[in-house]
């Protein structure tokens, strides 16, 4: 049969959290029950005292003066005496102090005394000696006496432990030692520890686990192991660390105590947290914040305030002047790579690429306007010759060629074809 794997630290932590929540609820319920029991006991004591006082007064007022009269009175009313005896027995049973003796049960708790809420009820699992030690230390700090310890101890029992207390003989407890010793002996077998020192050797730092997380997990388990030798703890935490620079540092430094080991680990933890913070900061950079290529950001703008109205589409004019060698296409025309998501339903005859039309191309529009103002496109201007003055930025060129600058290209006009 395969061995059952021990629970993971996460599962243990989850189990501990659930137990703490359940114990907290049981503590609140036990406190409520303890208050009710205390109120009932105080009321019962007061009623008993009142009943006793009334009985004594009645006996003094109507009691017989001679012994013979008393005997005669009892003989005359035997049925009444029998009923009274049964009522007294019932009252004695109802006012029975349970495992506590009368002096403990009749002890009135101080008015300002409140039950501590930091201790969870004992349900039969765990070390009973350790629980008694925790209980007495908490109660003594709150100024509790031996009788207060006896009265309050049942409020911190639950499940099988409470059943055990209720089964104790009546009137068997007069001091706290009478309950603490039997308690430790009865639940001695319940001293269950989740792990021992050998289990520490199974705790290893994960490949991507930070040193801080590893030490936190290791420490939580180490503090639950009783009588753990410091050298065993130091050897286990060193051997469980992931191979790397920190383990090499520890091998050189050779810390002899856990305090020295934690001092060395603190520097490595600071380095890891700094690197993680830098990585997180870089991952939050947006694409808009990154520097972009100037060519990608380039958006041509119109260079003229008004444009000539042609009687032919821009696309047809561009095709015709390219075929007639009036202008040359851009150097990279036809070799532009189409980016992802390019609208292939649109095509520019000047750039010879998809993504926009010739009519929408600002560069082609400026080129045609410059040619029109130089008088090279008169036949496309509604039958009227509209020769315009060239723009100021146009410079003198040799008599046989005219150079027209476009974005990222230089188009050469051959005057011989005009």
């Amino acid at each position: 049969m395969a061995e059952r794997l021990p629970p993971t630290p996460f599962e243990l932590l989850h189990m501990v959290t659930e137990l703490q929540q359940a114990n907290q609820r049981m503590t609140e319920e036990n406190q409520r029950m303890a208050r009710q029991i205390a109120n009932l006991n105080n009321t019962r004591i007061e009623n008993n005292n009142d009943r006793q006082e009334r009985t004594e007064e009645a006996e003094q007022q109507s009691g017989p003066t001679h012994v013979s009269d008393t005997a005669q009175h009892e003989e005359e009313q035997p049925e009444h005496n029998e009923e009274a005896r049964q009522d007294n027995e019932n009252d004695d049973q109802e006012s029975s102090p349970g495992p506590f003796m009368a002096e403990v049960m009749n002890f009135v708790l101080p008015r300002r005394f409140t039950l501590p809420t930091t201790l969870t009820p004992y349900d039969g699992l765990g070390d009973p000696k350790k629980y008694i030690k925790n209980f007495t230390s908490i109660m003594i700090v709150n100024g509790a006496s031996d009788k207060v310890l006896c009265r309050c101890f049942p409020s911190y029992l639950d499940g099988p432990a409470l059943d055990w207390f209720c089964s104790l003989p009546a009137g068997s407890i007069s001091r706290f030692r009478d309950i603490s010793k039997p308690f430790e002996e009865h639940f001695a077998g319940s001293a269950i520890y989740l792990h021992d020192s050998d289990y520490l050797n199974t705790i290893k730092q994960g490949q991507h686990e930070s040193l801080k997380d590893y030490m936190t997990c290791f420490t939580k388990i180490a503090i639950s192991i009783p009588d753990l030798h410091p050298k065993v703890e130091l050897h286990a935490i060193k051997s469980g660390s992931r191979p790397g620079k920190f383990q090499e540092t520890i091998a050189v430094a050779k810390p002899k105590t856990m305090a020295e080991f934690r001092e060395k680990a603190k520097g490595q933890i600071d380095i890891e947290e700094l690197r993680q913070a830098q990585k997180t900061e870089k991952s939050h950079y947006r694409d808009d914040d990154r520097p972009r290529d100037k060519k990608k950001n380039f958006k041509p703008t119109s260079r003229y305030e008004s444009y000539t109205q042609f009687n032919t589409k821009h696309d047809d004019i561009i095709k015709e002047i390219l075929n007639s060698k009036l202008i040359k296409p851009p150097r990279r025309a036809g070799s532009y790579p189409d980016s992802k998501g390019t609208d292939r339903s649109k095509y520019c005859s000047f750039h010879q690429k998809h993504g926009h039309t010739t009519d929408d191309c600002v560069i082609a529009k400026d080129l045609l306007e410059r040619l029109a103002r130089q008088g090279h496109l008169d036949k496309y201007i509604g039958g009227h010759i509209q020769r315009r003055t060239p723009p100021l930025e146009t410079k003198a060129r040799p008599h046989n060629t005219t150079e027209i600058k476009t974005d990222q290209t230089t188009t050469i006009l051959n005057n011989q074809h005009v």
Side-chain angles (χ1 to χ4, degrees):
M1 183 175 62
E3 295 182 0
R4 185 177 179 182
L5 296 176
T8 63
F10 176 79
E11 293 175 347
L12 289 174
L13 183 60
H14 183 68
M15 293 168 60
V16 170
T17 303
E18 291 182 348
L19 288 174
Q20 290 177 347
Q21 293 175 353
N23 289 335
Q24 182 64 24
R25 292 193 295 270
M26 294 303 301
T27 301
E28 296 174 355
E29 182 64 20
N30 288 336
Q31 292 175 357
R32 185 182 64 82
M33 294 176 62
R35 289 192 294 268
Q36 292 180 353
I37 292 172
N39 293 333
L40 290 174
N41 290 334
N42 294 333
T43 304
R44 185 178 300 169
I45 293 171
E46 293 176 358
N47 292 336
N48 290 338
N49 294 335
D50 294 340
R51 188 183 297 111
Q52 185 176 0
E53 291 177 358
R54 288 196 300 269
T55 303
E56 292 177 354
E57 292 177 358
E59 290 178 352
Q60 291 176 359
Q61 294 177 0
S62 61
T65 57
H66 301 285
V67 176
S68 58
D69 295 339
T70 305
Q72 183 179 1
H73 179 74
E74 291 179 355
E75 291 177 357
E76 291 176 354
Q77 299 178 350
E79 296 179 357
H80 177 74
N81 294 338
E82 185 66 23
E83 292 178 357
R85 188 180 301 108
Q86 291 179 356
D87 293 339
N88 292 334
E89 291 178 355
N90 294 334
D91 291 341
D92 293 339
Q93 291 178 357
E94 291 178 358
S95 61
S96 174
F100 296 121
M101 296 185 67
E103 59 182 4
V104 177
M105 198 63 191
N106 295 335
F107 178 78
V108 180
L109 296 174
R111 294 182 178 179
R112 296 184 179 181
F113 179 80
T114 57
L115 290 173
T117 59
T118 57
L119 185 64
T120 56
Y122 183 83
D123 58 356
L125 296 178
D127 187 0
K129 291 184 179 181
K130 183 177 180 180
Y131 191 81
I132 289 291
K133 186 183 297 184
N134 293 338
F135 173 77
T136 54
S137 62
I138 292 175
M139 296 297 291
I140 290 174
V141 169
N142 288 270
S145 62
D146 189 80
K147 288 185 174 59
V148 175
L149 293 178
C150 294
R151 291 286 300 276
C152 295
F153 187 70
S155 301
Y156 292 93
L157 299 180
D158 189 22
L162 185 59
D163 295 338
W164 167 83
F165 173 79
C166 295
S167 65
L168 294 176
S172 61
I173 301 173
S174 62
R175 54 181 181 172
F176 187 68
R177 182 179 178 84
D178 297 337
I179 190 175
S180 61
K181 286 299 179 182
F183 175 81
E184 294 176 0
E185 294 174 358
H186 184 80
F187 293 101
S190 300
I192 300 174
Y193 303 113
L194 297 175
H195 304 293
D196 55 12
S197 59
D198 293 337
Y199 181 77
L200 291 178
N201 295 323
T202 65
I203 304 176
K204 305 294 181 182
Q205 184 181 6
Q207 184 65 27
H208 302 289
E209 184 180 15
S210 66
L211 181 60
K212 182 179 181 180
D213 293 341
Y214 164 69
M215 293 190 62
T216 301
C217 175
F218 184 93
T219 303
K220 286 182 179 179
I221 298 176
I223 61 177
S224 66
I225 300 176
D227 302 327
L228 178 61
H229 198 280
K231 290 186 178 180
V232 175
E233 182 181 5
L234 178 61
H235 174 75
I237 196 171
K238 287 196 299 183
S239 60
S241 60
R242 183 176 58 243
K245 292 184 178 179
F246 175 69
Q247 196 177 61
E248 295 174 358
T249 302
I250 293 300
V252 174
K254 296 181 180 180
K256 297 181 180 180
T257 62
M258 283 297 299
E260 294 179 1
F261 180 85
R262 292 191 180 94
E263 187 65 25
K264 294 294 182 182
K266 184 179 182 301
Q268 180 65 23
I269 292 174
D270 293 340
I271 294 175
E272 291 181 357
E273 290 181 345
L274 178 60
R275 291 175 179 174
Q276 183 63 30
Q278 292 175 346
K279 185 185 297 185
T280 303
E281 185 178 357
K282 289 182 180 179
S283 64
H284 284 79
Y285 282 150
R286 298 179 180 178
D287 293 339
D288 295 341
D289 297 334
R290 296 176 181 175
R292 296 182 176 180
D293 191 353
K294 294 182 179 180
K295 294 182 179 180
K296 293 182 179 179
N297 288 334
F298 174 75
K299 292 182 180 180
T301 56
S302 301
R303 301 179 61 181
Y304 300 96
E305 295 181 358
S306 61
Y307 288 85
T308 302
Q309 297 295 327
F310 298 106
N311 55 17
T312 308
K313 294 182 179 180
H314 291 183
D315 187 71
D316 295 335
I317 299 174
I318 289 293
K319 289 179 180 179
E320 186 172 343
I321 60 179
L322 285 174
N323 292 333
S324 64
K325 307 296 183 179
L326 179 63
I327 62 172
K328 293 182 179 181
R331 275 180 271 177
R332 295 183 57 193
S335 63
Y336 293 100
D338 291 337
S339 59
K340 187 177 180 180
T342 300
D343 187 358
R344 299 190 63 83
S345 63
K346 298 179 180 180
Y347 183 78
C348 177
S349 299
F350 179 69
H351 290 100
Q352 300 179 18
K353 64 172 294 185
H354 295 88
H356 66 279
T357 63
T358 308
D359 292 337
D360 296 334
C361 182
V362 176
I363 297 177
K365 186 178 179 181
D366 287 345
L367 173 63
L368 294 178
E369 181 62 24
R370 179 169 294 186
L371 291 174
R373 295 190 180 194
Q374 292 176 356
H376 301 297
L377 304 178
D378 291 343
K379 63 178 181 178
Y380 302 109
I381 309 176
H384 300 282
I385 298 177
Q386 298 181 9
R387 188 176 300 274
R388 304 182 183 183
T389 305
L392 296 176
E393 63 270 19
T394 302
K395 297 182 180 180
R397 300 296 178 189
H399 66 279
N400 59 338
T401 61
T402 302
E403 182 178 341
I404 300 176
K405 289 190 177 182
T406 61
D407 177 54
Q408 301 178 349
T409 59
T410 302
T411 305
I412 305 299
L413 275 174
N414 191 343
N415 291 337
Q416 296 177 357
H417 293 279
V418 179

